[in-house]
Amino acid sequence: GSDTAVMIPDGISVIGSNSFYNQNIVLVVIPEGVVTIESDAFRSCEKLQQVILPKSLKKIEDGAFSECSRLISIRLLEEMECIQKSAFDSCSNLTESILPSKLEKLGIAAFADCKRLSTLKIQEGIQEIPDSCFDGCNRLEEVQLPNSLKIIGERAFADCKRLPTLKIQEGIQEILDRCFD
């Protein structure tokens, strides 16, 4: 329809692939019970500014919010377990993110080209920052890495031109090619 505010009804457990692709929505409220947002569900919703996520949400699939250029912030709740490839890629107005401690998988380029992302906190429990995860986040100034981190992937923080320092903990096992290119 033409509504700019979308309230997903109760009883839904999955928001399917491409469900709201390229729509003119501004606000989305996702109810308790939704556990998965499938690939490209809200991709290219360029006017989307606010998303309210439920505690029940466990998984955000590939490109689910990619290219939502007006999305300023999104609160990822502690129960979140998986953020897949390019989930928030090119959300150019996203300014901050706190990755939940129960997060088990973070996908390649999950936050790539979030050009206004300036603060990032990665909770204890995360073991890998995959390839290109924060590539092109050129306003990133502050990153907190957890002690649990073992691997930082290729180009993970490439083109993060304002990142003055990054404290890498002792437990790190691999820092892959061009990580800070």
Side-chain angles (χ1 to χ4, degrees):
S2 59
D3 288 345
T4 58
V6 174
M7 312 289 204
I8 307 289
D10 290 336
I12 303 288
S13 61
V14 174
I15 297 174
S17 297
N18 298 298
S19 294
F20 296 92
Y21 178 86
N22 199 28
Q23 295 299 305
N24 289 321
I25 55 178
V26 175
L27 165 69
V28 174
V29 178
I30 300 172
E32 285 301 323
V34 172
V35 292
T36 302
I37 298 174
E38 290 185 345
S39 61
D40 302 322
F42 296 95
R43 182 183 206 101
S44 298
C45 290
E46 294 179 3
K47 294 182 179 181
L48 185 60
Q49 295 176 20
Q50 185 178 11
V51 177
I52 299 172
L53 299 175
K55 288 182 181 180
S56 59
L57 187 64
K58 304 280 187 221
K59 185 177 188 181
I60 297 175
E61 292 187 354
D62 297 355
F65 293 96
S66 184
E67 300 170 15
C68 292
S69 58
R70 292 192 185 165
L71 188 61
I72 295 170
S73 69
I74 190 159
R75 186 168 176 233
L76 300 171
L77 301 172
E78 282 303 307
E79 291 74 14
M80 178 75 57
E81 295 173 358
C82 180
I83 298 172
Q84 291 186 335
K85 180 180 173 185
S86 302
F88 296 97
D89 179 26
S90 299
C91 290
S92 55
N93 278 306
L94 192 65
T95 58
E96 68 177 352
S97 184
I98 298 173
L99 300 181
S101 60
K102 290 186 181 178
L103 193 65
E104 297 170 1
K105 180 172 179 5
L106 187 58
I108 293 171
F111 290 88
D113 292 317
C114 291
K115 303 233 177 265
R116 292 199 175 158
L117 185 65
S118 62
T119 304
L120 174 66
K121 183 174 182 185
I122 302 171
Q123 305 279 11
E124 269 318 311
I126 298 287
Q127 293 190 19
E128 179 180 0
I129 297 173
D131 297 350
S132 302
C133 195
F134 301 100
D135 187 352
C137 295
N138 54 18
R139 289 197 184 171
L140 196 58
E141 293 178 351
E142 183 182 344
V143 176
Q144 292 179 14
L145 297 176
N147 292 324
S148 59
L149 190 64
K150 304 289 183 224
I151 300 168
I152 301 176
E154 287 186 34
R155 296 189 55 82
F157 292 99
D159 293 323
C160 294
K161 298 172 183 172
R162 291 190 184 180
L163 190 60
T165 60
L166 188 65
K167 184 178 178 185
I168 298 174
Q169 308 300 334
E170 274 191 43
I172 199 81
Q173 295 171 354
E174 291 183 66
I175 298 175
L176 298 177
D177 296 344
R178 298 174 40 194
C179 179
F180 302 104
D181 192 15

